[in-house]
Amino acid sequence: MKLASLLSVLLACVVLAPLPSLAAKPKVTTDQVVGLTRFLEEKPLDGNAPAIRALLLDWEEKSNEVIDYVCEGVMAPIPDDDVPNSAELLGQFIFGSAAHQISTPADKGKVVPGQLAGMRSMLKAYAAFLAADPAARIPRLDELASMDAAGTLPEYLAPIAIKACGEGD
């Protein structure tokens, strides 16, 4: 799946919150990406979260500092309009992959580490969404979270990512 088209769809789903501190539409710097990503993992429902997502999406779209792959099948059933918090979880996956590449430059453009980092970031945000609304449960993400807790997520995810996206750079 093309990242640019997914980013466009995701950006269309994100509504900027009217925040005085963000009203001037500041730019996110590379140095801020990791911290903002972690913030969204912990507090995806924060009042500032939609504006932060929009800023991170803008950064992602314009940045050449990371190479993100959205490998079909890795995130299934996301994206889907019938899945709770789908747009936010998709964004979190992308942001988590980017944050990993920034903090681990040797992994830039590598499919498996990026997919694993994106998934783990998405699962953290998913846990926060569930804490606020248990009805937002997504059975496949529950399975993936169990695999992550058991330490088997990398061996499960790697072949799916490689089949869908190849080895990367």
Side-chain angles (χ1 to χ4, degrees):
M1 235 179 244
K2 290 192 173 195
L3 181 61
S5 62
L6 280 174
L7 287 175
S8 297
V9 170
L10 186 55
L11 188 54
C13 295
V14 177
V15 178
L16 279 174
L19 301 170
S21 62
L22 297 177
K25 187 108 166 95
K27 302 288 182 199
V28 170
T29 65
T30 301
D31 293 338
Q32 296 171 315
V33 171
V34 174
L36 291 173
T37 298
R38 300 300 172 246
F39 176 83
L40 291 174
E41 288 172 355
E42 296 171 13
K43 300 178 182 181
L45 293 168
D46 185 273
N48 293 323
I52 293 169
R53 282 187 199 96
L55 291 170
L56 285 171
L57 284 171
D58 184 61
W59 176 86
E60 275 278 344
E61 191 172 296
K62 295 174 182 169
S63 175
N64 60 2
E65 297 178 52
V66 298
I67 301 170
D68 285 326
Y69 297 96
V70 180
C71 301
E72 199 170 321
V74 171
M75 295 181 298
I78 295 166
D80 188 317
D81 291 339
D82 294 331
V83 174
N85 309 300
S86 181
E88 293 85 355
L89 292 168
L90 171 60
Q92 193 64 46
F93 182 93
I94 294 166
F95 307 149
S97 175
H100 173 76
Q101 290 176 65
I102 289 167
S103 60
T104 313
D107 284 348
K108 179 180 177 179
K110 292 184 179 175
V111 170
V112 173
Q115 297 296 286
L116 185 58
M119 180 59 70
R120 286 181 168 150
S121 182
M122 185 173 76
L123 291 173
K124 288 175 186 174
Y126 171 66
F129 280 123
L130 274 183
D133 179 10
R137 186 161 299 284
I138 304 167
R140 179 154 188 275
L141 295 190
D142 291 337
E143 293 170 20
L144 295 171
S146 293
M147 288 180 206
D148 195 29
T152 60
L153 185 61
E155 67 191 45
Y156 170 79
L157 205 59
I160 295 169
I162 292 168
K163 180 180 179 186
C165 284
E167 297 282 343
D169 289 343

